[in-house]
Amino acid sequence: MSWLFDPFSLEFVQRALLGGVLVSVLCAVAGTWVIVRGMAFLGEALAHGMLPGVALATVLGVPVLLGAAVSASAMSLGISALQRRAKLSYDTSIGLLFVGMLALGVIVISHAGSFATDATAILFGDILAIAPGDLVVLALAAVIGVGAAILAHRPLVALAIDERVARVLGLAPRVAQAVLVGLVTLAVVASYQAVGSLLVVGLLVAPAVAARQWTARIASTMVLAAVIGAAAVVVGLLVSWHAATAAGATIAAAAIAAAGVSWGLRAAVTAARRRTASPLLLPA
């Protein structure tokens, strides 16, 4: 069993494991609502919307997470502004800012000269480089995310059912929408270092998709998604260690694989139940 435990005897792998678990909890909370509301495109757009802020922070030598947070927040505010003032649809607003922020990030990277290593870290992350200070930030982000989801649970449920009903019940659907966007932004920014901007959506969406096959309640989906995400982190780190692959990409691939396996198992169980429940057809 040394192949299973030896990698986790090293401190930097232990930090990667703990950081990945914290990211899994945060992504499970935000990702469940993303799946329920059908907002996976928002997570994708915010992940790429971080690129100019991360690139500028790297060039200027300021904390990268600060640049990511500022850039993602600016994009969230921009989406809301385009919806209200330009009267554009939600998808159109996201699409415009998505392309604009991505283009700006590429421009900054191309202008920075020797930026290949930093660009790789931006796109694919480096979970093995998580430091003790990063764990504190991730733990704080997880507490904030879980707390916000608990406090805004009723408005978020009402918003998911019908925005008009939420408004009639006085549950402030605009506030609930802002909380949801804030949760996704927090999850994307916090997960950035672990899996990078290109792969963060996999960890945000895939565990929730896998969990949704087996649960009907929001809270149950979040808990199971957190467990599946943590399992993907463990499997990804082990495979990365023994196969010498990129840790962040391997974790994201493990999460996607979990979603595929979950879907396949659910389909097999449903088919078996239908065969069992079908009455035998006897000849007349």
Side-chain angles (χ1 to χ4, degrees), residues 104-172:
L104 180 59
V106 173
I107 290 171
V108 173
I109 291 175
S110 63
H111 184 68
S114 58
F115 208 71
T117 302
D118 294 326
T120 300
I122 288 172
L123 296 176
F124 303 105
D126 190 2
I127 193 171
L128 297 176
I130 288 181
D134 299 324
L135 293 177
V136 175
V137 173
L138 285 172
L140 181 61
V143 170
I144 293 173
V146 173
I150 292 173
L151 293 174
H153 182 73
R154 287 189 64 212
L156 286 172
V157 170
L159 181 65
I161 295 173
D162 192 320
E163 183 176 346
R164 291 171 298 179
V165 172
R167 188 178 297 109
V168 170
L169 294 176
L171 292 176

Side-chain angles (χ1 to χ4, degrees), residues 62-90:
V62 300
V64 173
L65 280 181
L66 178 61
V70 170
S71 187
S73 299
M75 184 167 181
S76 299
L77 294 173
I79 293 171
S80 299
L82 284 177
Q83 277 189 284
R84 291 195 310 268
R85 299 184 180 181
K87 304 298 182 182
L88 297 177
S89 69
Y90 197 65

Side-chain angles (χ1 to χ4, degrees), residues 261-282:
V261 170
S262 179
W263 179 85
L265 287 174
R266 187 61 184 177
V269 169
T270 301
R273 287 178 177 175
R274 287 176 178 173
R275 287 195 298 270
T276 304
S278 298
L280 294 176
L281 297 178
L282 300 176

